[in-house]
Amino acid sequence: MNYLKRCRNIRVGNFRFLNLIIVFCIFVSCSNENKLEKEIAEIPVDFDIERFDQLFAQLTPESLPELKNNFPFLFSEKYEDSIWFKRSQDTIQQEVNKEVEKVFLDLSAEKKELHSLFQHIQYYFPQIKVPRVVTITNDVDYRNKVVLSKGLLVVSLDTYLGKDHHFYESIQKYLRQNFNRQNIVSDVASVYAKNQVGPIRERTFLGNLISFGKEMYIKDLLLPSLSNARKIGYTEEQYKWAEVNEDQIWRYFIEKQLLYSTDSELMPRFMYPAPFSKFYLEEIDKEAPDRIGQYIGWRIVASYVENNNVSLQQLLIADAETIFNKSKYKPKR
């Protein structure tokens, strides 16, 4: 009995010691993260949000020349000045102006989020300069909500009026889900992440998984305080579903031998915006959020970074198979 008691005490002692080690590691990790975030918060970033949308709404024949001079990239030379003035007076354009002004009378919250985002971009990608930021309206062109080109960042505010806004009644619900102002900073980060990852070079399903996974991992770095659901553009319920069913999703990909498939139909099924991810299983398709492949790729890339001593640049140039093979990825059960 005394021997068994001693063994039990040893096991309890070892368990407590292991718990102490885990707590210590978490404490050190959090301490390092806080130190890093404090360092990033000291990076100087200077920019303004230029409200072209407001200036265009107040357009007069007298103010047009100066507006064209200040924003030449927004005026095509093939149109005469009268066309621009006529457009500014169009009843639909005026309604758009009014609705945008209601929602975006003040952009201080967005500027604060963008300020932090640009600081993180400067830290991880110091070669990237802080952009000139311009807000516009653009006929609710939701395919080009955010455009980044040659140091210019253009945000179309009329695509962020709220998912239930009457402007969006004819647009599919799964697209409207992210037409909220809270999605602006995430969409901006996505554009930067996509630029760093570059075009998808591998035609396999795995190649696409990893490419999107790299983009999501970069968003982790650039938006550390943003929820995972907002980063990927899910509701909290959709993200929870992905977490709970991660093992089942992965087993489906493996059992169907999808990883090295080059079937182009897999992309709209699991990678692109859609009403849901298409497993062709009635009990799953009813609940599965779209782009579930992006979620799995995100988890694989995060596992690769966690289990290998690699720099961000090494991650970006690593091929999909290397990342997958060295990731030691095991989905949550």
Side-chain angles (χ1 to χ4, degrees):
M1 286 294 291
N2 287 338
Y3 172 75
L4 292 175
K5 187 175 181 180
R6 283 199 303 273
C7 288
R8 190 182 302 114
N9 289 339
I10 290 171
R11 286 199 298 272
V12 171
N14 287 342
F15 180 74
R16 287 173 179 168
F17 180 67
L18 181 61
N19 275 346
L20 286 173
I21 291 176
I22 293 172
V23 171
F24 177 74
C25 289
I26 292 173
F27 175 78
V28 170
S29 176
C30 290
S31 178
N32 289 338
E33 287 179 10
N34 290 336
K35 184 179 179 181
L36 174 60
E37 286 304 308
K38 287 179 181 178
E39 181 182 346
I40 293 175
E42 295 298 320
I43 296 175
V45 163
D46 184 34
F47 73 99
D48 289 314
I49 298 179
E50 300 177 58
R51 298 293 301 267
F52 176 85
D53 58 294
Q54 292 180 335
L55 296 172
F56 192 75
Q58 300 161 7
L59 187 67
T60 65
E62 293 74 26
S63 66
L64 181 55
E66 183 180 2
L67 197 62
K68 290 176 66 177
N69 184 59
N70 291 335
F71 302 91
F73 46 86
L74 293 175
F75 293 91
S76 173
E77 293 182 359
K78 68 180 181 180
Y79 296 120
E80 297 180 357
D81 288 357
S82 59
I83 299 297
W84 296 113
F85 184 70
K86 184 177 180 180
R87 176 176 176 177
S88 72
Q89 301 302 306
D90 180 81
T91 53
I92 294 177
Q93 179 63 48
Q94 290 185 339
E95 184 181 1
V96 170
N97 296 341
K98 184 177 71 172
E99 294 302 307
V100 168
E101 191 68 10
K102 279 183 188 176
V103 177
F104 294 105
L105 184 62
D106 176 65
L107 283 174
S108 56
E110 284 74 19
K111 184 173 183 180
K112 184 177 179 181
E113 287 190 319
L114 289 174
H115 186 274
S116 176
L117 171 63
F118 294 152
Q119 286 177 316
H120 284 79
I121 291 172
Q122 288 280 285
Y123 180 83
Y124 290 106
F125 306 101
Q127 75 279 9
I128 299 179
K129 295 181 180 179
V130 177
R132 179 181 179 184
V133 184
V134 179
T135 59
I136 66 169
T137 61
N138 192 28
D139 300 324
V140 193
D141 181 7
Y142 59 85
R143 292 179 179 85
N144 294 288
K145 297 165 76 178
V146 174
V147 175
L148 177 66
S149 177
K150 298 178 180 178
L152 178 68
L153 178 67
V154 179
V155 180
S156 298
L157 295 182
D158 54 342
T159 59
Y160 294 102
L161 298 176
K163 63 184 178 69
D164 296 320
H165 195 278
H166 64 272
F167 283 174
Y168 311 144
E169 288 176 355
S170 62
I171 300 173
Q172 297 95 323
K173 187 177 180 180
Y174 69 89
L175 293 172
R176 286 189 277 133
Q177 175 176 300
N178 292 310
F179 287 11
N180 303 300
R181 66 186 301 172
Q182 293 83 1
N183 294 100
I184 290 177
V185 71
S186 181
D187 287 348
V188 173
S190 290
V191 172
Y192 277 97
K194 192 173 292 291
N195 281 356
Q196 292 306 306
V197 174
I200 299 173
R201 293 180 291 273
E202 301 173 57
R203 293 179 57 242
T204 63
F205 186 56
L206 178 63
N208 280 264
L209 284 177
I210 299 303
S211 186
F212 280 109
K214 287 180 180 180
E215 291 178 20
M216 291 306 305
Y217 180 76
I218 290 175
K219 289 183 73 172
D220 274 336
L221 300 179
L222 301 183
L223 301 171
S225 62
L226 204 67
S227 73
N228 286 338
R230 279 182 64 189
K231 285 175 196 167
I232 198 171
Y234 283 172
T235 64
E236 291 296 337
E237 291 76 15
Q238 287 174 321
Y239 188 82
K240 184 65 177 177
W241 188 95
E243 280 191 312
V244 169
N245 292 277
E246 184 176 340
D247 179 61
Q248 188 176 0
I249 297 163
W250 182 243
R251 277 193 284 112
Y252 178 90
F253 289 170
I254 297 300
E255 289 170 5
K256 298 295 182 179
Q257 300 181 341
L258 301 185
L259 293 189
Y260 296 98
S261 171
T262 57
D263 183 359
S264 61
E265 288 299 312
L266 293 174
M267 305 312 128
R269 284 178 62 190
F270 298 112
M271 294 294 186
Y272 301 155
F276 49 85
S277 291
K278 300 178 180 65
F279 293 89
Y280 301 133
L281 298 171
E282 186 176 350
E283 66 276 14
I284 296 180
D285 285 355
K286 287 181 180 179
E287 300 178 346
D290 62 342
R291 298 170 288 116
I292 203 68
Q294 294 190 27
Y295 171 82
I296 295 296
W298 185 9
R299 302 273 56 83
I300 293 173
V301 171
S303 182
Y304 170 73
V305 174
E306 183 179 343
N307 290 301
N308 296 273
N309 184 24
V310 293
S311 68
L312 180 55
Q313 289 307 313
Q314 288 172 324
L315 167 66
L316 291 176
I317 64 175
D319 63 88
E321 191 158 4
T322 296
I323 290 175
F324 174 60
N325 289 337
K326 293 186 176 181
S327 68
K328 302 178 184 177
Y329 170 66
K330 290 184 179 179
K332 299 176 182 178
R333 292 181 177 274

